[in-house]
Amino acid sequence: MTSQEQMDALFAEARRAADAAYAPYSHFRVGAALLADDGTVFSGCNVENRSYGLTICAERNAVLQGVAKGRRAFTALAISTPDSAGPVGPCGACRQVLSEFMAPGAPVRFGGSGEAVDTTMGALLPYDSLHELADS
Ligand code: THU
């Protein structure tokens, strides 16, 4: 179980991660913080590219940071978009990649400078499929 205090701390870490965003094209900073099953936190920011399509979202950056350090299970996620007032959820590509390493019940919080949304991985990616491929 992830406590509210843990989610608050994770969200604060996501906000800090957004400060490292490389977003000269959109000017839209995003930070993500993932809690690994051993208690370690991995964070990431969006990294844009002048070819636009090669932009890496903060969420996928955070997943790759964790996997590169040997973690393959993440129990909670927070996303901060300080340049928006309202909450901005993860893009479709990130939902798919996150679902590879997060259970449907894992809590997710995302928010801008105002109110945040608390939801779950499963709510963000319902009717998730292809899990049988990962079991082989
Ligand atoms: N972005 C993220 O990093 N995560 C999201 O979930 C949505 C979008 C980034 C990509 C791009 O650098 C900027 O936000 C504007 O789309």
Side-chain angles (χ1 to χ4, degrees), residues 23 26 28 30 46-48 55-59 79 88-91 94:
S26 73
F28 191 78
V30 186
N46 53 331
V47 180
E48 298 185 346
T55 291
I56 306 292
C57 292
E59 297 88 331
I79 304 161
V88 175
C91 78
C94 285

Side-chain angles (χ1 to χ4, degrees), residues 16-29:
R16 280 191 288 276
D19 286 336
Y22 176 71
Y25 306 106
S26 73
H27 302 286
F28 191 78
R29 295 168 297 162

Side-chain angles (χ1 to χ4, degrees), residues 122-135:
L124 289 172
L125 194 68
Y127 304 104
D128 195 3
S129 61
L130 296 175
H131 279 293
E132 63 278 9
L133 294 180
D135 296 336

